[in-house]
Amino acid sequence: GLAIEIKRLRKRYGRFEALKGVELSVREGCVFGLLGPNGAGKSTLIKSLLTIVRPTECRGRLLGERIGHRRTLAKVGYLPEHARFPDYLTGRQIVEYSAGLAKVPGKLARQRTGELLETVGMSDWADRKNGTYSKGMRQRVGLAQALVNDPAIVFLDEPTDGVDPPGRVEIRKVIERMRDEGRTVFVNSHLLGEVEQIADEVAIMAAGRIVKSGTTDELTHRA
Ligand code: ADP
Ligand code: ADP
C-alpha cells in the first residue's frame, strides 16, 4: 500500500507560496528521497504532513488516515533539520528523555534506549556527553531518538548535512536498517549523490513543485 498519498498540498507563508499544489505518493516500506535545492520547499512539505506548520490546503492520507490525524502522529518519527540536543546530556539521556516524551513506560524506555543506541552504532559512546560527539554521532543519536515510538514511517530532514564521509556511511547504514525493520523512510536532501545511494524512489522538487518522480534508477540513468 501507500504510506503517503498527497493529492494536493499548498502552503503559503504570508504572500509567499512555498508549496504550489504538490501531488506525491510514497510506497510503504521504501526509502523515499525528496531531492531539491535549498528553498525548494522540502522542509515545509514534511512540516505540513506533520502539521508542524498549518497547510493552506492539504488533501491526502498519511498511513491511511487523514493528514493531521492525531492517531497517525503517534506512528511517526522525525529528525528535524539542524536538530540540536543539549550538550550536557549523554546520548543515552537524550534517547531516554525522548522515550519519556513519547510516553514509553520507564523500564521499557530504558530497554528500548539500549537497543536503539545499538541500532545506530552508539553503544560504546552512549554515556559520553553530546557535547563531545562529532556531528555524525549527534545525528545518530537523533536517529535513535526518532525511533523511540517504534514508528511506521520516519521523516529525516537533511540527516547527513554537515557530516563527514565516514559519518555519512554510518547514517546510511542506519537508514537501511530502518527499512529492513519494515519502516518507510522519507529523506530530504539537496545532494543527488546522497539520494542516489540511500533511496529506492525519488521525487525532485523545485520552487514548491514536484518536477519529476520515479525509481532512483529511472531518475539517475535516464537523464
Ligand atoms: P532551510 O535550511 O530548510 O531552508 P532554514 O534553516 O533557512 O531552513 O530556516 C530555519 C527556520 O526559519 C525554519 O523554522 C524556517 O521555517 C524558518 N524560515 C526559513 N525561511 C524563512 C523566512 N523567509 N521567513 C521566516 N522564517 C523562515
Ligand atoms: P527546503 O527545505 O527545500 O530548503 P523550505 O521548506 O525550508 O525549503 O523553504 C521553502 C521556502 O519557504 C523558502 O523560500 C523559505 O525561505 C520559505 N520559508 C520557510 N519557512 C518559512 C517561514 N516560517 N516563513 C516564511 N517563509 C518561510
Side-chain angles (χ1 to χ4, degrees):
L2 293 176
I4 303 174
E5 189 178 14
I6 303 173
K7 299 279 194 198
R8 186 170 166 78
L9 172 57
R10 293 191 306 121
K11 171 63 187 174
R12 258 198 301 265
Y13 293 113
R15 288 195 179 162
F16 175 74
E17 197 167 29
L19 299 176
K20 299 170 178 157
V22 168
E23 196 187 325
L24 186 69
S25 295
V26 176
R27 199 167 47 78
E28 233 171 347
C30 80
V31 177
F32 184 91
L34 183 60
L35 177 67
N38 284 324
K42 305 180 300 296
S43 295
T44 299
L45 189 144
I46 290 183
K47 289 181 197 169
S48 298
L49 289 179
L50 303 185
T51 57
I52 292 165
V53 298
R54 186 205 291 257
T56 306
E57 182 184 353
C58 184
R59 288 195 286 120
R61 302 181 87 74
L62 172 59
L63 301 176
E65 302 270 9
R66 170 178 60 75
I67 289 165
H69 198 290
R70 222 180 296 134
R71 197 162 47 206
T72 312
L73 293 181
K75 298 184 216 160
V76 162
Y78 178 41
L79 179 59
E81 187 181 18
H82 312 306
R84 196 70 210 249
F85 302 101
D87 281 344
Y88 57 87
L89 294 180
T90 66
R92 190 185 308 282
Q93 286 168 331
I94 289 166
V95 180
E96 262 184 28
Y97 181 71
S98 301
L101 288 182
K103 304 214 163 65
V104 180
K107 198 179 165 204
L108 181 61
R110 279 190 295 278
Q111 182 194 332
R112 192 173 291 171
T113 295
E115 290 165 5
L116 289 173
L117 288 164
E118 180 84 49
T119 297
V120 301
M122 284 296 292
S123 295
D124 291 349
W125 299 281
D127 297 308
R128 302 219 190 144
K129 289 193 171 154
N130 190 39
T132 68
Y133 293 160
S134 67
K135 181 75 204 269
M137 290 161 84
R138 281 182 207 166
Q139 286 298 85
R140 277 145 70 195
V141 169
L143 294 172
Q145 165 278 142
L147 294 172
V148 288
N149 58 339
D150 191 20
I153 183 165
V154 190
F155 291 90
L156 308 176
D157 199 346
E158 303 274 2
T160 62
D161 202 33
V163 176
D164 60 15
R168 287 175 184 230
V169 173
E170 293 303 319
I171 290 170
R172 285 205 295 272
K173 282 193 209 158
V174 178
I175 291 173
E176 277 167 24
R177 209 163 296 158
M178 289 178 181
R179 179 186 41 202
D180 293 345
E181 290 166 350
R183 304 180 210 281
T184 307
V185 188
F186 189 108
V187 187
N188 277 358
S189 176
H190 64 279
L191 301 171
L192 171 64
E194 195 68 39
V195 167
E196 237 182 309
Q197 294 189 62
I198 292 177
D200 308 307
E201 294 178 20
V202 183
I204 299 173
M205 184 170 229
R209 296 180 205 279
I210 303 292
V211 293
K212 246 183 184 183
S213 63
T215 66
T216 308
D217 286 344
E218 282 166 1
L219 262 69
T220 53
H221 297 293
R222 205 189 277 161

mmCIF file of all heavy atoms in Angstrom, residues 46 50 63 72-80 142-157 178 183-186:
data_model
loop_
_atom_site.group_PDB
_atom_site.id
_atom_site.type_symbol
_atom_site.label_atom_id
_atom_site.label_comp_id
_atom_site.label_asym_id
_atom_site.label_seq_id
_atom_site.Cartn_x
_atom_site.Cartn_y
_atom_site.Cartn_z
ATOM 1 N N ILE A 46 7.511 18.312 4.748
ATOM 2 C CA ILE A 46 7.481 17.441 5.935
ATOM 3 C C ILE A 46 6.688 18.105 7.054
ATOM 4 O O ILE A 46 5.805 17.485 7.664
ATOM 5 C CB ILE A 46 8.915 17.126 6.432
ATOM 6 C CG1 ILE A 46 9.630 16.209 5.449
ATOM 7 C CG2 ILE A 46 8.869 16.474 7.825
ATOM 8 C CD1 ILE A 46 11.029 15.771 5.891
ATOM 9 N N LEU A 50 3.267 16.740 9.005
ATOM 10 C CA LEU A 50 3.249 16.506 10.455
ATOM 11 C C LEU A 50 2.464 17.588 11.181
ATOM 12 O O LEU A 50 2.408 17.594 12.408
ATOM 13 C CB LEU A 50 4.690 16.434 10.984
ATOM 14 C CG LEU A 50 5.577 15.374 10.312
ATOM 15 C CD1 LEU A 50 6.937 15.294 10.981
ATOM 16 C CD2 LEU A 50 4.898 14.001 10.335
ATOM 17 N N LEU A 63 -0.312 7.217 6.269
ATOM 18 C CA LEU A 63 -0.569 5.924 6.920
ATOM 19 C C LEU A 63 -2.062 5.588 6.922
ATOM 20 O O LEU A 63 -2.598 5.097 7.911
ATOM 21 C CB LEU A 63 -0.014 5.926 8.346
ATOM 22 C CG LEU A 63 1.488 6.192 8.487
ATOM 23 C CD1 LEU A 63 1.896 6.273 9.957
ATOM 24 C CD2 LEU A 63 2.314 5.116 7.776
ATOM 25 N N THR A 72 -2.304 9.111 13.775
ATOM 26 C CA THR A 72 -1.206 8.909 12.827
ATOM 27 C C THR A 72 0.104 9.422 13.394
ATOM 28 O O THR A 72 1.145 8.791 13.267
ATOM 29 C CB THR A 72 -1.499 9.653 11.516
ATOM 30 O OG1 THR A 72 -2.816 9.347 11.122
ATOM 31 C CG2 THR A 72 -0.526 9.261 10.443
ATOM 32 N N LEU A 73 0.046 10.584 14.046
ATOM 33 C CA LEU A 73 1.286 11.203 14.512
ATOM 34 C C LEU A 73 2.005 10.323 15.530
ATOM 35 O O LEU A 73 3.226 10.364 15.640
ATOM 36 C CB LEU A 73 0.995 12.593 15.093
ATOM 37 C CG LEU A 73 0.524 13.600 14.032
ATOM 38 C CD1 LEU A 73 0.266 14.960 14.656
ATOM 39 C CD2 LEU A 73 1.530 13.725 12.891
ATOM 40 N N ALA A 74 1.266 9.501 16.247
ATOM 41 C CA ALA A 74 1.879 8.577 17.213
ATOM 42 C C ALA A 74 2.718 7.513 16.511
ATOM 43 O O ALA A 74 3.562 6.880 17.136
ATOM 44 C CB ALA A 74 0.803 7.920 18.064
ATOM 45 N N LYS A 75 2.508 7.328 15.209
ATOM 46 C CA LYS A 75 3.245 6.286 14.469
ATOM 47 C C LYS A 75 4.335 6.877 13.590
ATOM 48 O O LYS A 75 4.831 6.234 12.673
ATOM 49 C CB LYS A 75 2.278 5.494 13.582
ATOM 50 C CG LYS A 75 1.213 4.754 14.350
ATOM 51 C CD LYS A 75 0.395 3.930 13.383
ATOM 52 C CE LYS A 75 -1.055 3.888 13.770
ATOM 53 N NZ LYS A 75 -1.917 3.520 12.634
ATOM 54 N N VAL A 76 4.670 8.146 13.855
ATOM 55 C CA VAL A 76 5.619 8.854 13.022
ATOM 56 C C VAL A 76 6.878 9.179 13.821
ATOM 57 O O VAL A 76 6.798 9.510 15.001
ATOM 58 C CB VAL A 76 4.959 10.155 12.509
ATOM 59 C CG1 VAL A 76 5.989 11.135 12.005
ATOM 60 C CG2 VAL A 76 3.944 9.835 11.424
ATOM 61 N N GLY A 77 8.050 9.054 13.172
ATOM 62 C CA GLY A 77 9.306 9.517 13.759
ATOM 63 C C GLY A 77 9.813 10.700 12.952
ATOM 64 O O GLY A 77 9.537 10.802 11.759
ATOM 65 N N TYR A 78 10.589 11.602 13.600
ATOM 66 C CA TYR A 78 11.018 12.821 12.912
ATOM 67 C C TYR A 78 12.373 13.275 13.430
ATOM 68 O O TYR A 78 12.554 13.415 14.639
ATOM 69 C CB TYR A 78 9.959 13.901 13.156
ATOM 70 C CG TYR A 78 10.234 15.274 12.575
ATOM 71 C CD1 TYR A 78 10.790 15.438 11.309
ATOM 72 C CD2 TYR A 78 9.890 16.417 13.292
ATOM 73 C CE1 TYR A 78 11.004 16.709 10.783
ATOM 74 C CE2 TYR A 78 10.088 17.694 12.772
ATOM 75 C CZ TYR A 78 10.645 17.832 11.512
ATOM 76 O OH TYR A 78 10.847 19.086 11.004
ATOM 77 N N LEU A 79 13.284 13.478 12.507
ATOM 78 C CA LEU A 79 14.540 14.146 12.855
ATOM 79 C C LEU A 79 14.582 15.447 12.070
ATOM 80 O O LEU A 79 14.808 15.454 10.862
ATOM 81 C CB LEU A 79 15.756 13.280 12.509
ATOM 82 C CG LEU A 79 17.116 13.919 12.825
ATOM 83 C CD1 LEU A 79 17.256 14.273 14.297
ATOM 84 C CD2 LEU A 79 18.258 13.015 12.382
ATOM 85 N N PRO A 80 14.316 16.585 12.748
ATOM 86 C CA PRO A 80 14.279 17.868 12.043
ATOM 87 C C PRO A 80 15.655 18.248 11.526
ATOM 88 O O PRO A 80 16.682 17.742 12.006
ATOM 89 C CB PRO A 80 13.848 18.865 13.127
ATOM 90 C CG PRO A 80 13.402 18.072 14.297
ATOM 91 C CD PRO A 80 14.055 16.720 14.184
ATOM 92 N N GLY A 142 20.244 11.399 17.179
ATOM 93 C CA GLY A 142 18.979 11.953 16.668
ATOM 94 C C GLY A 142 18.141 10.893 15.966
ATOM 95 O O GLY A 142 16.912 10.884 16.086
ATOM 96 N N LEU A 143 18.796 9.998 15.233
ATOM 97 C CA LEU A 143 18.075 8.910 14.552
ATOM 98 C C LEU A 143 17.488 7.943 15.583
ATOM 99 O O LEU A 143 16.346 7.497 15.443
ATOM 100 C CB LEU A 143 19.011 8.154 13.601
ATOM 101 C CG LEU A 143 19.529 8.934 12.398
ATOM 102 C CD1 LEU A 143 20.599 8.133 11.659
ATOM 103 C CD2 LEU A 143 18.399 9.285 11.451
ATOM 104 N N ALA A 144 18.258 7.646 16.627
ATOM 105 C CA ALA A 144 17.751 6.760 17.692
ATOM 106 C C ALA A 144 16.529 7.404 18.347
ATOM 107 O O ALA A 144 15.501 6.761 18.576
ATOM 108 C CB ALA A 144 18.837 6.497 18.735
ATOM 109 N N GLN A 145 16.650 8.677 18.610
ATOM 110 C CA GLN A 145 15.572 9.453 19.232
ATOM 111 C C GLN A 145 14.296 9.419 18.381
ATOM 112 O O GLN A 145 13.188 9.380 18.906
ATOM 113 C CB GLN A 145 16.107 10.875 19.482
ATOM 114 C CG GLN A 145 15.121 11.961 19.792
ATOM 115 C CD GLN A 145 14.481 12.523 18.559
ATOM 116 O OE1 GLN A 145 13.290 12.832 18.580
ATOM 117 N NE2 GLN A 145 15.220 12.634 17.467
ATOM 118 N N ALA A 146 14.486 9.404 17.055
ATOM 119 C CA ALA A 146 13.328 9.406 16.150
ATOM 120 C C ALA A 146 12.617 8.043 16.118
ATOM 121 O O ALA A 146 11.550 7.916 15.534
ATOM 122 C CB ALA A 146 13.764 9.794 14.740
ATOM 123 N N LEU A 147 13.229 7.035 16.740
ATOM 124 C CA LEU A 147 12.658 5.676 16.674
ATOM 125 C C LEU A 147 12.027 5.230 17.990
ATOM 126 O O LEU A 147 11.560 4.089 18.095
ATOM 127 C CB LEU A 147 13.753 4.673 16.277
ATOM 128 C CG LEU A 147 14.341 4.826 14.871
ATOM 129 C CD1 LEU A 147 15.548 3.904 14.696
ATOM 130 C CD2 LEU A 147 13.286 4.522 13.816
ATOM 131 N N VAL A 148 12.008 6.110 18.999
ATOM 132 C CA VAL A 148 11.572 5.660 20.333
ATOM 133 C C VAL A 148 10.135 5.131 20.369
ATOM 134 O O VAL A 148 9.810 4.291 21.188
ATOM 135 C CB VAL A 148 11.708 6.754 21.424
ATOM 136 C CG1 VAL A 148 13.163 6.981 21.774
ATOM 137 C CG2 VAL A 148 11.012 8.029 21.022
ATOM 138 N N ASN A 149 9.296 5.647 19.477
ATOM 139 C CA ASN A 149 7.891 5.198 19.480
ATOM 140 C C ASN A 149 7.651 4.090 18.461
ATOM 141 O O ASN A 149 6.512 3.823 18.098
ATOM 142 C CB ASN A 149 6.955 6.390 19.220
ATOM 143 C CG ASN A 149 7.277 7.077 17.904
ATOM 144 O OD1 ASN A 149 8.383 6.939 17.381
ATOM 145 N ND2 ASN A 149 6.328 7.802 17.356
ATOM 146 N N ASP A 150 8.727 3.446 17.985
ATOM 147 C CA ASP A 150 8.625 2.350 17.021
ATOM 148 C C ASP A 150 7.762 2.756 15.817
ATOM 149 O O ASP A 150 6.779 2.105 15.482
ATOM 150 C CB ASP A 150 8.008 1.115 17.727
ATOM 151 C CG ASP A 150 8.116 -0.132 16.870
ATOM 152 O OD1 ASP A 150 8.960 -0.174 15.954
ATOM 153 O OD2 ASP A 150 7.322 -1.062 17.111
ATOM 154 N N PRO A 151 8.149 3.848 15.141
ATOM 155 C CA PRO A 151 7.291 4.437 14.105
ATOM 156 C C PRO A 151 7.195 3.584 12.837
ATOM 157 O O PRO A 151 8.142 2.886 12.478
ATOM 158 C CB PRO A 151 7.977 5.767 13.792
ATOM 159 C CG PRO A 151 9.408 5.536 14.119
ATOM 160 C CD PRO A 151 9.414 4.607 15.303
ATOM 161 N N ALA A 152 6.053 3.691 12.161
ATOM 162 C CA ALA A 152 5.872 3.034 10.867
ATOM 163 C C ALA A 152 6.557 3.828 9.769
ATOM 164 O O ALA A 152 6.973 3.280 8.755
ATOM 165 C CB ALA A 152 4.381 2.895 10.558
ATOM 166 N N ILE A 153 6.665 5.141 9.985
ATOM 167 C CA ILE A 153 7.333 5.998 8.997
ATOM 168 C C ILE A 153 8.219 6.999 9.730
ATOM 169 O O ILE A 153 7.862 7.502 10.792
ATOM 170 C CB ILE A 153 6.303 6.713 8.082
ATOM 171 C CG1 ILE A 153 7.012 7.540 7.003
ATOM 172 C CG2 ILE A 153 5.333 7.592 8.870
ATOM 173 C CD1 ILE A 153 6.082 7.973 5.869
ATOM 174 N N VAL A 154 9.400 7.237 9.150
ATOM 175 C CA VAL A 154 10.369 8.140 9.765
ATOM 176 C C VAL A 154 10.707 9.238 8.759
ATOM 177 O O VAL A 154 11.052 8.945 7.613
ATOM 178 C CB VAL A 154 11.663 7.390 10.140
ATOM 179 C CG1 VAL A 154 12.560 8.269 10.993
ATOM 180 C CG2 VAL A 154 11.358 6.096 10.864
ATOM 181 N N PHE A 155 10.618 10.495 9.193
ATOM 182 C CA PHE A 155 10.961 11.637 8.356
ATOM 183 C C PHE A 155 12.318 12.191 8.790
ATOM 184 O O PHE A 155 12.486 12.558 9.952
ATOM 185 C CB PHE A 155 9.900 12.728 8.494
ATOM 186 C CG PHE A 155 8.583 12.360 7.894
ATOM 187 C CD1 PHE A 155 7.610 11.722 8.657
ATOM 188 C CD2 PHE A 155 8.308 12.644 6.560
ATOM 189 C CE1 PHE A 155 6.382 11.366 8.096
ATOM 190 C CE2 PHE A 155 7.085 12.296 5.994
ATOM 191 C CZ PHE A 155 6.129 11.659 6.757
ATOM 192 N N LEU A 156 13.254 12.218 7.840
ATOM 193 C CA LEU A 156 14.602 12.692 8.149
ATOM 194 C C LEU A 156 14.902 13.887 7.249
ATOM 195 O O LEU A 156 14.918 13.755 6.024
ATOM 196 C CB LEU A 156 15.620 11.571 7.893
ATOM 197 C CG LEU A 156 15.321 10.225 8.574
ATOM 198 C CD1 LEU A 156 16.346 9.176 8.150
ATOM 199 C CD2 LEU A 156 15.282 10.383 10.091
ATOM 200 N N ASP A 157 15.119 15.045 7.871
ATOM 201 C CA ASP A 157 15.346 16.265 7.089
ATOM 202 C C ASP A 157 16.853 16.544 7.015
ATOM 203 O O ASP A 157 17.446 16.952 7.998
ATOM 204 C CB ASP A 157 14.588 17.437 7.724
ATOM 205 C CG ASP A 157 14.387 18.585 6.751
ATOM 206 O OD1 ASP A 157 15.053 18.584 5.678
ATOM 207 O OD2 ASP A 157 13.581 19.484 7.053
ATOM 208 N N MET A 178 16.552 0.708 9.143
ATOM 209 C CA MET A 178 15.159 1.137 9.340
ATOM 210 C C MET A 178 14.254 0.466 8.307
ATOM 211 O O MET A 178 13.182 -0.026 8.623
ATOM 212 C CB MET A 178 15.037 2.659 9.203
ATOM 213 C CG MET A 178 15.637 3.444 10.341
ATOM 214 S SD MET A 178 15.465 5.215 9.974
ATOM 215 C CE MET A 178 16.269 5.916 11.426
ATOM 216 N N ARG A 183 10.129 -0.234 8.153
ATOM 217 C CA ARG A 183 9.641 1.143 8.226
ATOM 218 C C ARG A 183 9.754 1.822 6.867
ATOM 219 O O ARG A 183 10.634 1.482 6.067
ATOM 220 C CB ARG A 183 10.476 1.952 9.233
ATOM 221 C CG ARG A 183 10.524 1.350 10.606
ATOM 222 C CD ARG A 183 11.363 2.205 11.551
ATOM 223 N NE ARG A 183 12.006 1.387 12.570
ATOM 224 C CZ ARG A 183 11.385 0.931 13.655
ATOM 225 N NH1 ARG A 183 10.122 1.244 13.870
ATOM 226 N NH2 ARG A 183 12.010 0.162 14.512
ATOM 227 N N THR A 184 8.897 2.787 6.624
ATOM 228 C CA THR A 184 9.043 3.666 5.480
ATOM 229 C C THR A 184 9.948 4.811 5.924
ATOM 230 O O THR A 184 9.795 5.312 7.031
ATOM 231 C CB THR A 184 7.670 4.233 5.055
ATOM 232 O OG1 THR A 184 6.758 3.154 4.869
ATOM 233 C CG2 THR A 184 7.776 5.046 3.787
ATOM 234 N N VAL A 185 10.902 5.171 5.069
ATOM 235 C CA VAL A 185 11.809 6.262 5.433
ATOM 236 C C VAL A 185 11.700 7.363 4.376
ATOM 237 O O VAL A 185 11.842 7.100 3.183
ATOM 238 C CB VAL A 185 13.271 5.775 5.536
ATOM 239 C CG1 VAL A 185 14.156 6.875 6.103
ATOM 240 C CG2 VAL A 185 13.381 4.514 6.402
ATOM 241 N N PHE A 186 11.444 8.558 4.834
ATOM 242 C CA PHE A 186 11.304 9.727 3.953
ATOM 243 C C PHE A 186 12.474 10.660 4.235
ATOM 244 O O PHE A 186 12.608 11.171 5.339
ATOM 245 C CB PHE A 186 9.971 10.421 4.264
ATOM 246 C CG PHE A 186 9.592 11.508 3.301
ATOM 247 C CD1 PHE A 186 8.554 11.313 2.402
ATOM 248 C CD2 PHE A 186 10.242 12.730 3.311
ATOM 249 C CE1 PHE A 186 8.171 12.319 1.512
ATOM 250 C CE2 PHE A 186 9.872 13.741 2.419
ATOM 251 C CZ PHE A 186 8.840 13.537 1.522
#
